[in-house]
Amino acid sequence: MEILVNEKKITLPKHSNVQDLINYLRYQNQRIAVEINESIIPKSNYSSFKLHDKDQIEIIKAVGGG
């Protein structure tokens, strides 16, 4: 399946979920927010939220500062 992540095309296996995508992008243990088709996905749903062909995904990494 082909999805769009931060405006870049990525190919993942069918039946992938948000957690699979995070692992693929190596964002584990990072503070991120995930939006799919303009809806924020809670972290508690990452492993159960299935991705679909042509999904548009935005991943935002939190940046600390002071």
Side-chain angles (χ1 to χ4, degrees):
M1 112 177 96
E2 203 169 83
I3 58 175
L4 200 60
V5 179
N6 296 346
E7 300 183 14
K8 293 182 182 178
K9 287 184 183 180
I10 292 180
T11 301
L12 289 177
K14 289 183 181 180
H15 309 295
S16 292
N17 59 40
V18 175
Q19 188 62 55
D20 296 328
L21 174 62
I22 290 168
N23 294 342
Y24 175 82
L25 297 172
R26 297 183 180 167
Y27 285 162
Q28 309 93 314
N29 303 317
Q30 294 187 36
R31 297 184 66 172
I32 60 171
V34 178
E35 177 187 278
I36 299 178
N37 302 324
E38 300 184 4
S39 295
I40 299 292
I41 308 303
K43 186 175 183 176
S44 60
N45 293 352
Y46 285 179
S47 61
S48 63
F49 195 96
K50 301 292 181 194
L51 299 174
H52 300 93
D53 196 44
K54 308 296 182 207
D55 276 344
Q56 294 187 18
I57 302 164
E58 292 290 326
I59 298 178
I60 300 162
K61 292 171 55 172
V63 178

